[in-house]
Amino acid sequence: MVVGQEVARFLFQRIASGALVIVFASALTFFFVNLAPGGPSSIMRFDVSAEQREALIKRMGLDKPVVERYADWAAGAIRGDLGTSLLSDEPVTQRIGERLPNTLILAGAALVVSILIGIPIGLIQALRRGSALDHLLSFYSAIGLAVPVFWLGIVLILVFAVSLGWLPSAGVTTISEDTLVERLRHLALPTVALATTTLPTIVRFMRSAALEVLDEDYIRTAASKGLAPRVVVTRHALRNALIPVVSAVGALVPRLLGGTVVTESVFSWPGMGRLALEAAQGRDYPLITGITVVVAGIAVATTLLVDLAYTRIDPRLRAS
Amino acid sequence: MKLDLSSFPFRTTSVLVVAALAVSACASPTQPGASTAPSAQAGPVSGGTVTMPIGADPTLNPWSPNAFIESLFINRVLFDGLTKPGKDLAPAPDLAESWTTASDGLSWTFKLRSGVKWSDGTPFTADDVAFTFNDIVLKPDLGAQNRASYAAVKSVTVVDATTVRFDLSRKFAALPSFLAYNAGILPKHVLSANPLTTTTFNKGTPVSTGPFKVDKYTSGQSVSLVRNENYFGAKAFLDKLVFTVVADPNTQVAQALSGDLQIMILDNKAAVDRMKSAAGLSVVARPLVQYYWLSLNQTDSRFTDVRVRQAFVTAIDRAAIIKSVELGYGSIANSPITPALAAYYDPSLASKYPYDPAKATELLKAAGWTPGANGVLQKDGKPFQFTMDVGQRGVLEPVNALIQQDLKKVGVIVDLNTMEWNSYIQKDVVRREYTATVNWWTYPSDPDVFPYYHSSAAGKGFNIPGYQDPKLDDLLVQGQSTSDLEARKAVYKQLQQYTSEVLPYLFLWYPQEIDVLSTSLKGVPELGLRDAMHYAGEWWLAKK
């Protein structure tokens, strides 16, 4: 099976280069955060004496050279041990394990909402190019890009949680009543806030890709063949226009995983973004490096999936 | 155009949020005064859940170096100390029933309450107290939090099952007050192997002695406490006390408005009017044992002249700072002893340095600083110019901007160097590589401020300006040497007068805390919330 071998070789190459990316990212992160001024919060506080500080530096092993510490960390990481959090004394893998699912849920929900709404809107704008509707939707996209999430988040809370009382203001669930319905109710507002920032990207990519495709000869041919406009749009135009949109989605995934800090803070959503922020502010070196490795891993995997998705959408790529 | 900073809103986010709050006020179905009619004057009832926000995941161990401010509230509920802050802030019995000091002042003996049990049913004994101090606090290699406060303690001896003796290397009259301040006793039978980093304890369900115990710790979300049926005192009224992790202060405000929180500290003071007008919430101001200061590094010869320090404090419009930054919740400070310590505080000093730029100019002139080109003061041909490091936290940024303006008016040029908090601590506190900086001290409810002022703490300890003065040292030691209240009052009155005169730090203001409480929440003593936590067992919810 020649094709199977090629696919295997392609996958192997991609996975090997992905692993290299992850190793590089971990080393870069480890050395940079250690070079940053300051230190773990337990020693960088006003009410700690010089003597306490020294004891803690020793206890955390920070008196060893950075290279040696990285070697120790890397040796553990290969075995799946990402070290111990300096801020909580818990294993880094445990801390990430607690938070990653929440981030995946929020980012996934925002992405799904963005795609389900963004693709039809982008397509409609392309089909009605220059119309009042097109301008109106472009205007809304611009607002979506411009509105700061912390502000939008607070406004959503004030309107839907405080004034109307329809939805909970923060958290992932109700402590006393942890049901699927409660979880979905808690997910609603942060998803809207986060999707507002990602939706315009998808709308814009979809609109410009569709515009380009609609000008192509084959679309005119398909239309002149007498195909129903709906078939022309969905079967021919949409499919081809989706290729750049898929890569835009691929680019959004790492941004969503690393960039939901503000949304997570406003809605008290216990995800990776807030964890990363706490880790950076508190100079929790192993935790920052661990988070980087996990996010880099997800980014590498997403890129791979996007490439595989291309081959599904575009038959020409299957050969090459 | 003149920029008037005193009315300038200090954070863009606050402005936007306040605007949003105003909008929601119009849309809110609950208007002020709608339903604040008190329920019948009934006594305390059991039941209900009170929820309180904290900024991050707590570490449930008062001596852990990772127990930051978010941990402090919950640890004060869980872990009883030998003493606790009384409702007058004087040390009151907690795990200890009574205490006495030896005639030479070199030891304190504490009689422990008998019949106390840990939340797992194991009896509490003097061994737990000895373990907490000898094996945790006094072990240098553990780096336990607050250990610097116990520098005078040599060891703790178990006299019998209900008596312990603290042996001291020097007199330490404030020990009972310090033991009321984040000094909870830990269970030897659980933590003897690993006292500070046992995560099933610190981040799980610790064994404790307080009126509540941990039911469930959910990382990033909440810590739920339930009534501790083994508690030695009256059983807690509330069924549950939940600490919910809400990092964003604006979200805390929104949650309080939607009735999700029953008690909180209002960090974003810009929201105070909105909170006041909300039905079902009451807003109270509480005194704190805290003061803001400006430290002028004494290794810089320009600041060793007391006239320069007095001139600065006269040139800074502290009333305007309190008004614009604290929205009036605070009072002018001229010494380290705060009004919250009512037994010791000397109110006559409040008006010592009224805002007076002309007077400041005179003092600076007497110190040899005269106006040069552009009105900038100079001495020996050098302009009076220096950098203040600004840590990004709380109100520090707007305060520094106001001080910069005030000093400019008397011809002193200040450059502001704003820094991320962690890096700031390293530069200014660890390395002491700074010229001037503003910050604050919070300390136990006792006027013993030895660690922040004594010469021995200059340069490396908590004496941030590095001010050294034998007369002040003498007063600090005298205050530690007698346990007699009247004698201590006299010493600390002198200390207040002396510090207000020589200004080791430039005292700025005593802040007040704004607490927001649900009107149905009763039994919370009129203390800062940190101290009120010791009384969580007395809190109760009126039936609606």
Side-chain angles (χ1 to χ4, degrees), chain B residues 166-185:
Chain B
F166 282 66
D167 293 310
L168 309 174
S169 56
R170 56 174 158 82
K171 292 175 183 174
F172 187 16
L175 179 65
S177 293
F178 276 68
L179 291 174
Y181 186 76
N182 303 325
I185 302 300

mmCIF file with all atom_site columns, all heavy atoms in Angstrom, chain B residues 166-185:
data_model
loop_
_atom_site.group_PDB
_atom_site.id
_atom_site.type_symbol
_atom_site.label_atom_id
_atom_site.label_alt_id
_atom_site.label_comp_id
_atom_site.label_asym_id
_atom_site.label_entity_id
_atom_site.label_seq_id
_atom_site.pdbx_PDB_ins_code
_atom_site.Cartn_x
_atom_site.Cartn_y
_atom_site.Cartn_z
_atom_site.occupancy
_atom_site.B_iso_or_equiv
_atom_site.pdbx_formal_charge
_atom_site.auth_seq_id
_atom_site.auth_comp_id
_atom_site.auth_asym_id
_atom_site.auth_atom_id
_atom_site.pdbx_PDB_model_num
ATOM 1   N N   . PHE B 1 166 ? 6.122  29.311 77.062 1.00 0.00 ? 166 PHE B N   1
ATOM 2   C CA  . PHE B 1 166 ? 6.969  29.877 76.007 1.00 0.00 ? 166 PHE B CA  1
ATOM 3   C C   . PHE B 1 166 ? 8.189  30.484 76.686 1.00 0.00 ? 166 PHE B C   1
ATOM 4   O O   . PHE B 1 166 ? 8.053  31.429 77.471 1.00 0.00 ? 166 PHE B O   1
ATOM 5   C CB  . PHE B 1 166 ? 6.223  30.977 75.236 1.00 0.00 ? 166 PHE B CB  1
ATOM 6   C CG  . PHE B 1 166 ? 5.232  30.457 74.236 1.00 0.00 ? 166 PHE B CG  1
ATOM 7   C CD1 . PHE B 1 166 ? 4.100  29.763 74.651 1.00 0.00 ? 166 PHE B CD1 1
ATOM 8   C CD2 . PHE B 1 166 ? 5.411  30.672 72.878 1.00 0.00 ? 166 PHE B CD2 1
ATOM 9   C CE1 . PHE B 1 166 ? 3.163  29.288 73.729 1.00 0.00 ? 166 PHE B CE1 1
ATOM 10  C CE2 . PHE B 1 166 ? 4.491  30.208 71.941 1.00 0.00 ? 166 PHE B CE2 1
ATOM 11  C CZ  . PHE B 1 166 ? 3.367  29.505 72.361 1.00 0.00 ? 166 PHE B CZ  1
ATOM 12  N N   . ASP B 1 167 ? 9.374  29.949 76.415 1.00 0.00 ? 167 ASP B N   1
ATOM 13  C CA  . ASP B 1 167 ? 10.603 30.508 76.976 1.00 0.00 ? 167 ASP B CA  1
ATOM 14  C C   . ASP B 1 167 ? 11.203 31.496 75.982 1.00 0.00 ? 167 ASP B C   1
ATOM 15  O O   . ASP B 1 167 ? 11.307 31.203 74.792 1.00 0.00 ? 167 ASP B O   1
ATOM 16  C CB  . ASP B 1 167 ? 11.590 29.381 77.287 1.00 0.00 ? 167 ASP B CB  1
ATOM 17  C CG  . ASP B 1 167 ? 11.076 28.495 78.413 1.00 0.00 ? 167 ASP B CG  1
ATOM 18  O OD1 . ASP B 1 167 ? 10.680 29.055 79.467 1.00 0.00 ? 167 ASP B OD1 1
ATOM 19  O OD2 . ASP B 1 167 ? 11.023 27.252 78.230 1.00 0.00 ? 167 ASP B OD2 1
ATOM 20  N N   . LEU B 1 168 ? 11.580 32.659 76.507 1.00 0.00 ? 168 LEU B N   1
ATOM 21  C CA  . LEU B 1 168 ? 11.998 33.764 75.645 1.00 0.00 ? 168 LEU B CA  1
ATOM 22  C C   . LEU B 1 168 ? 13.462 34.129 75.824 1.00 0.00 ? 168 LEU B C   1
ATOM 23  O O   . LEU B 1 168 ? 14.029 33.909 76.892 1.00 0.00 ? 168 LEU B O   1
ATOM 24  C CB  . LEU B 1 168 ? 11.145 35.008 75.950 1.00 0.00 ? 168 LEU B CB  1
ATOM 25  C CG  . LEU B 1 168 ? 9.632  34.828 75.967 1.00 0.00 ? 168 LEU B CG  1
ATOM 26  C CD1 . LEU B 1 168 ? 8.956  36.107 76.429 1.00 0.00 ? 168 LEU B CD1 1
ATOM 27  C CD2 . LEU B 1 168 ? 9.133  34.442 74.580 1.00 0.00 ? 168 LEU B CD2 1
ATOM 28  N N   . SER B 1 169 ? 14.051 34.673 74.789 1.00 0.00 ? 169 SER B N   1
ATOM 29  C CA  . SER B 1 169 ? 15.423 35.166 74.895 1.00 0.00 ? 169 SER B CA  1
ATOM 30  C C   . SER B 1 169 ? 15.437 36.635 75.306 1.00 0.00 ? 169 SER B C   1
ATOM 31  O O   . SER B 1 169 ? 16.450 37.156 75.741 1.00 0.00 ? 169 SER B O   1
ATOM 32  C CB  . SER B 1 169 ? 16.149 34.997 73.560 1.00 0.00 ? 169 SER B CB  1
ATOM 33  O OG  . SER B 1 169 ? 15.428 35.656 72.548 1.00 0.00 ? 169 SER B OG  1
ATOM 34  N N   . ARG B 1 170 ? 14.313 37.329 75.101 1.00 0.00 ? 170 ARG B N   1
ATOM 35  C CA  . ARG B 1 170 ? 14.183 38.704 75.600 1.00 0.00 ? 170 ARG B CA  1
ATOM 36  C C   . ARG B 1 170 ? 12.704 38.927 75.906 1.00 0.00 ? 170 ARG B C   1
ATOM 37  O O   . ARG B 1 170 ? 11.855 38.121 75.518 1.00 0.00 ? 170 ARG B O   1
ATOM 38  C CB  . ARG B 1 170 ? 14.697 39.716 74.582 1.00 0.00 ? 170 ARG B CB  1
ATOM 39  C CG  . ARG B 1 170 ? 14.037 39.632 73.215 1.00 0.00 ? 170 ARG B CG  1
ATOM 40  C CD  . ARG B 1 170 ? 14.496 40.775 72.306 1.00 0.00 ? 170 ARG B CD  1
ATOM 41  N NE  . ARG B 1 170 ? 14.314 40.470 70.902 1.00 0.00 ? 170 ARG B NE  1
ATOM 42  C CZ  . ARG B 1 170 ? 13.166 40.600 70.233 1.00 0.00 ? 170 ARG B CZ  1
ATOM 43  N NH1 . ARG B 1 170 ? 12.073 41.016 70.851 1.00 0.00 ? 170 ARG B NH1 1
ATOM 44  N NH2 . ARG B 1 170 ? 13.086 40.308 68.960 1.00 0.00 ? 170 ARG B NH2 1
ATOM 45  N N   . LYS B 1 171 ? 12.433 40.018 76.602 1.00 0.00 ? 171 LYS B N   1
ATOM 46  C CA  . LYS B 1 171 ? 11.050 40.267 76.990 1.00 0.00 ? 171 LYS B CA  1
ATOM 47  C C   . LYS B 1 171 ? 10.179 40.491 75.753 1.00 0.00 ? 171 LYS B C   1
ATOM 48  O O   . LYS B 1 171 ? 10.628 41.100 74.780 1.00 0.00 ? 171 LYS B O   1
ATOM 49  C CB  . LYS B 1 171 ? 10.981 41.479 77.921 1.00 0.00 ? 171 LYS B CB  1
ATOM 50  C CG  . LYS B 1 171 ? 11.632 41.200 79.268 1.00 0.00 ? 171 LYS B CG  1
ATOM 51  C CD  . LYS B 1 171 ? 11.669 42.452 80.119 1.00 0.00 ? 171 LYS B CD  1
ATOM 52  C CE  . LYS B 1 171 ? 12.395 42.171 81.444 1.00 0.00 ? 171 LYS B CE  1
ATOM 53  N NZ  . LYS B 1 171 ? 12.563 43.417 82.217 1.00 0.00 ? 171 LYS B NZ  1
ATOM 54  N N   . PHE B 1 172 ? 8.948  39.988 75.798 1.00 0.00 ? 172 PHE B N   1
ATOM 55  C CA  . PHE B 1 172 ? 8.075  40.038 74.633 1.00 0.00 ? 172 PHE B CA  1
ATOM 56  C C   . PHE B 1 172 ? 6.630  40.158 75.139 1.00 0.00 ? 172 PHE B C   1
ATOM 57  O O   . PHE B 1 172 ? 5.863  39.209 75.139 1.00 0.00 ? 172 PHE B O   1
ATOM 58  C CB  . PHE B 1 172 ? 8.282  38.773 73.805 1.00 0.00 ? 172 PHE B CB  1
ATOM 59  C CG  . PHE B 1 172 ? 7.565  38.744 72.474 1.00 0.00 ? 172 PHE B CG  1
ATOM 60  C CD1 . PHE B 1 172 ? 7.040  39.891 71.886 1.00 0.00 ? 172 PHE B CD1 1
ATOM 61  C CD2 . PHE B 1 172 ? 7.415  37.539 71.794 1.00 0.00 ? 172 PHE B CD2 1
ATOM 62  C CE1 . PHE B 1 172 ? 6.382  39.831 70.660 1.00 0.00 ? 172 PHE B CE1 1
ATOM 63  C CE2 . PHE B 1 172 ? 6.765  37.469 70.566 1.00 0.00 ? 172 PHE B CE2 1
ATOM 64  C CZ  . PHE B 1 172 ? 6.255  38.621 70.000 1.00 0.00 ? 172 PHE B CZ  1
ATOM 65  N N   . ALA B 1 173 ? 6.292  41.375 75.589 1.00 0.00 ? 173 ALA B N   1
ATOM 66  C CA  . ALA B 1 173 ? 4.989  41.600 76.218 1.00 0.00 ? 173 ALA B CA  1
ATOM 67  C C   . ALA B 1 173 ? 3.834  41.358 75.268 1.00 0.00 ? 173 ALA B C   1
ATOM 68  O O   . ALA B 1 173 ? 2.728  41.036 75.685 1.00 0.00 ? 173 ALA B O   1
ATOM 69  C CB  . ALA B 1 173 ? 4.930  43.039 76.750 1.00 0.00 ? 173 ALA B CB  1
ATOM 70  N N   . ALA B 1 174 ? 4.085  41.518 73.956 1.00 0.00 ? 174 ALA B N   1
ATOM 71  C CA  . ALA B 1 174 ? 2.991  41.429 72.995 1.00 0.00 ? 174 ALA B CA  1
ATOM 72  C C   . ALA B 1 174 ? 2.696  39.993 72.572 1.00 0.00 ? 174 ALA B C   1
ATOM 73  O O   . ALA B 1 174 ? 1.827  39.774 71.717 1.00 0.00 ? 174 ALA B O   1
ATOM 74  C CB  . ALA B 1 174 ? 3.325  42.272 71.762 1.00 0.00 ? 174 ALA B CB  1
ATOM 75  N N   . LEU B 1 175 ? 3.388  38.996 73.159 1.00 0.00 ? 175 LEU B N   1
ATOM 76  C CA  . LEU B 1 175 ? 3.195  37.618 72.710 1.00 0.00 ? 175 LEU B CA  1
ATOM 77  C C   . LEU B 1 175 ? 1.719  37.186 72.638 1.00 0.00 ? 175 LEU B C   1
ATOM 78  O O   . LEU B 1 175 ? 1.298  36.647 71.613 1.00 0.00 ? 175 LEU B O   1
ATOM 79  C CB  . LEU B 1 175 ? 4.015  36.646 73.575 1.00 0.00 ? 175 LEU B CB  1
ATOM 80  C CG  . LEU B 1 175 ? 3.871  35.166 73.199 1.00 0.00 ? 175 LEU B CG  1
ATOM 81  C CD1 . LEU B 1 175 ? 4.432  34.879 71.810 1.00 0.00 ? 175 LEU B CD1 1
ATOM 82  C CD2 . LEU B 1 175 ? 4.562  34.253 74.220 1.00 0.00 ? 175 LEU B CD2 1
ATOM 83  N N   . PRO B 1 176 ? 0.903  37.447 73.685 1.00 0.00 ? 176 PRO B N   1
ATOM 84  C CA  . PRO B 1 176 ? -0.507 37.023 73.572 1.00 0.00 ? 176 PRO B CA  1
ATOM 85  C C   . PRO B 1 176 ? -1.237 37.662 72.382 1.00 0.00 ? 176 PRO B C   1
ATOM 86  O O   . PRO B 1 176 ? -2.104 37.023 71.784 1.00 0.00 ? 176 PRO B O   1
ATOM 87  C CB  . PRO B 1 176 ? -1.113 37.470 74.908 1.00 0.00 ? 176 PRO B CB  1
ATOM 88  C CG  . PRO B 1 176 ? 0.050  37.522 75.850 1.00 0.00 ? 176 PRO B CG  1
ATOM 89  C CD  . PRO B 1 176 ? 1.205  37.990 75.026 1.00 0.00 ? 176 PRO B CD  1
ATOM 90  N N   . SER B 1 177 ? -0.863 38.893 72.017 1.00 0.00 ? 177 SER B N   1
ATOM 91  C CA  . SER B 1 177 ? -1.477 39.522 70.843 1.00 0.00 ? 177 SER B CA  1
ATOM 92  C C   . SER B 1 177 ? -0.988 38.875 69.554 1.00 0.00 ? 177 SER B C   1
ATOM 93  O O   . SER B 1 177 ? -1.760 38.659 68.619 1.00 0.00 ? 177 SER B O   1
ATOM 94  C CB  . SER B 1 177 ? -1.135 41.012 70.775 1.00 0.00 ? 177 SER B CB  1
ATOM 95  O OG  . SER B 1 177 ? -1.736 41.692 71.838 1.00 0.00 ? 177 SER B OG  1
ATOM 96  N N   . PHE B 1 178 ? 0.312  38.578 69.507 1.00 0.00 ? 178 PHE B N   1
ATOM 97  C CA  . PHE B 1 178 ? 0.846  37.952 68.298 1.00 0.00 ? 178 PHE B CA  1
ATOM 98  C C   . PHE B 1 178 ? 0.242  36.566 68.092 1.00 0.00 ? 178 PHE B C   1
ATOM 99  O O   . PHE B 1 178 ? 0.018  36.144 66.967 1.00 0.00 ? 178 PHE B O   1
ATOM 100 C CB  . PHE B 1 178 ? 2.385  37.881 68.368 1.00 0.00 ? 178 PHE B CB  1
ATOM 101 C CG  . PHE B 1 178 ? 3.048  39.146 67.917 1.00 0.00 ? 178 PHE B CG  1
ATOM 102 C CD1 . PHE B 1 178 ? 2.936  40.307 68.659 1.00 0.00 ? 178 PHE B CD1 1
ATOM 103 C CD2 . PHE B 1 178 ? 3.775  39.185 66.732 1.00 0.00 ? 178 PHE B CD2 1
ATOM 104 C CE1 . PHE B 1 178 ? 3.533  41.489 68.243 1.00 0.00 ? 178 PHE B CE1 1
ATOM 105 C CE2 . PHE B 1 178 ? 4.382  40.360 66.298 1.00 0.00 ? 178 PHE B CE2 1
ATOM 106 C CZ  . PHE B 1 178 ? 4.266  41.514 67.059 1.00 0.00 ? 178 PHE B CZ  1
ATOM 107 N N   . LEU B 1 179 ? -0.033 35.863 69.194 1.00 0.00 ? 179 LEU B N   1
ATOM 108 C CA  . LEU B 1 179 ? -0.606 34.515 69.070 1.00 0.00 ? 179 LEU B CA  1
ATOM 109 C C   . LEU B 1 179 ? -2.046 34.548 68.575 1.00 0.00 ? 179 LEU B C   1
ATOM 110 O O   . LEU B 1 179 ? -2.619 33.516 68.226 1.00 0.00 ? 179 LEU B O   1
ATOM 111 C CB  . LEU B 1 179 ? -0.522 33.784 70.420 1.00 0.00 ? 179 LEU B CB  1
ATOM 112 C CG  . LEU B 1 179 ? 0.896  33.413 70.861 1.00 0.00 ? 179 LEU B CG  1
ATOM 113 C CD1 . LEU B 1 179 ? 0.886  32.833 72.267 1.00 0.00 ? 179 LEU B CD1 1
ATOM 114 C CD2 . LEU B 1 179 ? 1.526  32.425 69.883 1.00 0.00 ? 179 LEU B CD2 1
ATOM 115 N N   . ALA B 1 180 ? -2.639 35.744 68.535 1.00 0.00 ? 180 ALA B N   1
ATOM 116 C CA  . ALA B 1 180 ? -4.002 35.896 68.014 1.00 0.00 ? 180 ALA B CA  1
ATOM 117 C C   . ALA B 1 180 ? -3.981 36.210 66.518 1.00 0.00 ? 180 ALA B C   1
ATOM 118 O O   . ALA B 1 180 ? -5.020 36.383 65.900 1.00 0.00 ? 180 ALA B O   1
ATOM 119 C CB  . ALA B 1 180 ? -4.721 37.017 68.768 1.00 0.00 ? 180 ALA B CB  1
ATOM 120 N N   . TYR B 1 181 ? -2.785 36.296 65.938 1.00 0.00 ? 181 TYR B N   1
ATOM 121 C CA  . TYR B 1 181 ? -2.630 36.810 64.576 1.00 0.00 ? 181 TYR B CA  1
ATOM 122 C C   . TYR B 1 181 ? -2.052 35.716 63.675 1.00 0.00 ? 181 TYR B C   1
ATOM 123 O O   . TYR B 1 181 ? -0.846 35.495 63.643 1.00 0.00 ? 181 TYR B O   1
ATOM 124 C CB  . TYR B 1 181 ? -1.694 38.020 64.640 1.00 0.00 ? 181 TYR B CB  1
ATOM 125 C CG  . TYR B 1 181 ? -1.509 38.796 63.368 1.00 0.00 ? 181 TYR B CG  1
ATOM 126 C CD1 . TYR B 1 181 ? -2.499 39.662 62.915 1.00 0.00 ? 181 TYR B CD1 1
ATOM 127 C CD2 . TYR B 1 181 ? -0.326 38.698 62.643 1.00 0.00 ? 181 TYR B CD2 1
ATOM 128 C CE1 . TYR B 1 181 ? -2.314 40.400 61.756 1.00 0.00 ? 181 TYR B CE1 1
ATOM 129 C CE2 . TYR B 1 181 ? -0.132 39.438 61.490 1.00 0.00 ? 181 TYR B CE2 1
ATOM 130 C CZ  . TYR B 1 181 ? -1.133 40.289 61.053 1.00 0.00 ? 181 TYR B CZ  1
ATOM 131 O OH  . TYR B 1 181 ? -0.944 41.018 59.912 1.00 0.00 ? 181 TYR B OH  1
ATOM 132 N N   . ASN B 1 182 ? -2.912 35.022 62.959 1.00 0.00 ? 182 ASN B N   1
ATOM 133 C CA  . ASN B 1 182 ? -2.489 33.983 62.003 1.00 0.00 ? 182 ASN B CA  1
ATOM 134 C C   . ASN B 1 182 ? -1.568 32.961 62.644 1.00 0.00 ? 182 ASN B C   1
ATOM 135 O O   . ASN B 1 182 ? -0.597 32.535 62.039 1.00 0.00 ? 182 ASN B O   1
ATOM 136 C CB  . ASN B 1 182 ? -1.784 34.598 60.795 1.00 0.00 ? 182 ASN B CB  1
ATOM 137 C CG  . ASN B 1 182 ? -2.656 35.616 60.098 1.00 0.00 ? 182 ASN B CG  1
ATOM 138 O OD1 . ASN B 1 182 ? -3.868 35.449 60.035 1.00 0.00 ? 182 ASN B OD1 1
ATOM 139 N ND2 . ASN B 1 182 ? -2.053 36.671 59.591 1.00 0.00 ? 182 ASN B ND2 1
ATOM 140 N N   . ALA B 1 183 ? -1.856 32.578 63.878 1.00 0.00 ? 183 ALA B N   1
ATOM 141 C CA  . ALA B 1 183 ? -0.983 31.657 64.591 1.00 0.00 ? 183 ALA B CA  1
ATOM 142 C C   . ALA B 1 183 ? -1.759 30.421 65.035 1.00 0.00 ? 183 ALA B C   1
ATOM 143 O O   . ALA B 1 183 ? -1.667 29.991 66.183 1.00 0.00 ? 183 ALA B O   1
ATOM 144 C CB  . ALA B 1 183 ? -0.331 32.369 65.779 1.00 0.00 ? 183 ALA B CB  1
ATOM 145 N N   . GLY B 1 184 ? -2.547 29.859 64.118 1.00 0.00 ? 184 GLY B N   1
ATOM 146 C CA  . GLY B 1 184 ? -3.362 28.687 64.436 1.00 0.00 ? 184 GLY B CA  1
ATOM 147 C C   . GLY B 1 184 ? -2.514 27.485 64.828 1.00 0.00 ? 184 GLY B C   1
ATOM 148 O O   . GLY B 1 184 ? -1.390 27.320 64.350 1.00 0.00 ? 184 GLY B O   1
ATOM 149 N N   . ILE B 1 185 ? -3.065 26.674 65.713 1.00 0.00 ? 185 ILE B N   1
ATOM 150 C CA  . ILE B 1 185 ? -2.352 25.473 66.168 1.00 0.00 ? 185 ILE B CA  1
ATOM 151 C C   . ILE B 1 185 ? -2.685 24.321 65.218 1.00 0.00 ? 185 ILE B C   1
ATOM 152 O O   . ILE B 1 185 ? -3.838 24.147 64.807 1.00 0.00 ? 185 ILE B O   1
ATOM 153 C CB  . ILE B 1 185 ? -2.775 25.115 67.608 1.00 0.00 ? 185 ILE B CB  1
ATOM 154 C CG1 . ILE B 1 185 ? -2.479 26.293 68.558 1.00 0.00 ? 185 ILE B CG1 1
ATOM 155 C CG2 . ILE B 1 185 ? -2.052 23.844 68.079 1.00 0.00 ? 185 ILE B CG2 1
ATOM 156 C CD1 . ILE B 1 185 ? -1.036 26.713 68.629 1.00 0.00 ? 185 ILE B CD1 1
#
